[in-house]
């Protein structure tokens, strides 16, 4: 499985731990995040992740910033991206089951590190249910 990951300065520690966790599972990781705690602009690190997902270059994306909001808003500007801002495993499971989320946005300032790793596992392991949800996600993109 291929996963793109991106983060700003508030998510560096989480990104490093998540990458280490996923590499133990033999996942291929594309790291677009900063490796520093110095202030950066999150769109610079989120757009490449969303582009990978949009172009089907990876299976999933993971983005991390302080609140998760800015990263999530940025990712969702890309067509075909369904980024979900999640703060517990239950919301993660529903985002995958009902919304076929393909990017997980993690708010590092509002989740514990171990909780974030568990959320990543839930995201990867949970399948989209399809059925009644399929028609709903087909209505998400705006046609111009």
């Amino acid at each position: 499985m291929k996963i793109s990951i991106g983060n700003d300065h508030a998510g560096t520690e989480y990104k490093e731990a998540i990458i280490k966790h996923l590499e133990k599972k033999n996942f291929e990781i594309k790291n677009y995040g900063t490796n520093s705690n110095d202030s950066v602009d999150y769109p610079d690190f989120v757009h490449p992740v969303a582009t990978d997902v949009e172009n089907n270059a990876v299976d999933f994306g993971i983005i991390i910033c302080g609140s998760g909001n800015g990263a999530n808003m940025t990712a969702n500007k890309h067509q075909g991206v369904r980024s979900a801002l999640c703060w517990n495993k239950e919301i993660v499971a529903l985002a995958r089951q009902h919304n076929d989320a393909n990017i997980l946005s993690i708010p590092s300032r509002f989740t514990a590190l171990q909780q974030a790793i568990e959320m990543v596992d839930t995201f990867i392991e949970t399948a989209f249910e399809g059925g009644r949800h399929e028609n709903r996600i087909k209505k998400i993109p705006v046609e111009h």
Side-chain angles (χ1 to χ4, degrees):
M1 183 175 287
K2 289 184 184 177
I3 297 177
S4 284
I5 190 166
N7 62 285
D8 71 2
H9 52 279
T12 302
E13 176 187 359
Y14 282 53
K15 177 200 66 176
E16 290 169 354
I18 290 167
I19 288 174
K20 186 176 180 180
H21 176 74
L22 293 174
E23 285 178 340
K24 285 181 184 175
K25 296 180 178 222
N26 295 316
F27 288 15
E28 182 180 329
I29 309 298
K30 295 178 83 173
N31 177 7
Y32 294 108
T34 183
N35 294 316
S36 170
N37 294 326
D38 296 337
S39 183
V40 296
D41 298 333
Y42 57 81
D44 296 339
F45 303 95
V46 171
H47 282 303
V49 174
T51 298
D52 277 356
V53 171
E54 185 175 33
N55 293 333
N56 296 309
V58 295
D59 299 292
F60 293 114
I62 299 169
I63 52 179
I64 311 158
C65 74
S67 72
N69 280 305
N72 192 54
M73 290 176 189
T74 301
N76 277 316
K77 297 298 180 191
H78 291 256
Q79 290 299 313
V81 165
R82 290 174 305 282
S83 181
L85 172 57
C86 300
W87 52 94
N88 64 43
K89 293 186 308 185
E90 293 78 15
I91 294 171
V92 172
L94 288 172
R96 287 287 305 127
Q97 292 167 344
H98 294 187
N99 310 116
D100 198 17
N102 49 21
I103 294 181
L104 171 61
S105 182
I106 299 173
S108 64
R109 293 186 178 135
F110 298 93
T111 56
L113 181 54
Q114 184 57 41
Q115 180 182 17
I117 290 170
E118 291 170 4
M119 289 166 44
V120 167
D121 285 342
T122 299
F123 190 78
I124 291 164
E125 295 166 5
T126 304
F128 176 52
E129 290 180 354
R132 69 184 191 277
H133 305 293
E134 183 74 36
N135 192 48
R136 295 170 185 162
I137 65 163
K138 286 181 182 176
K139 292 180 178 182
I140 292 173
V142 175
E143 296 183 31
H144 293 52

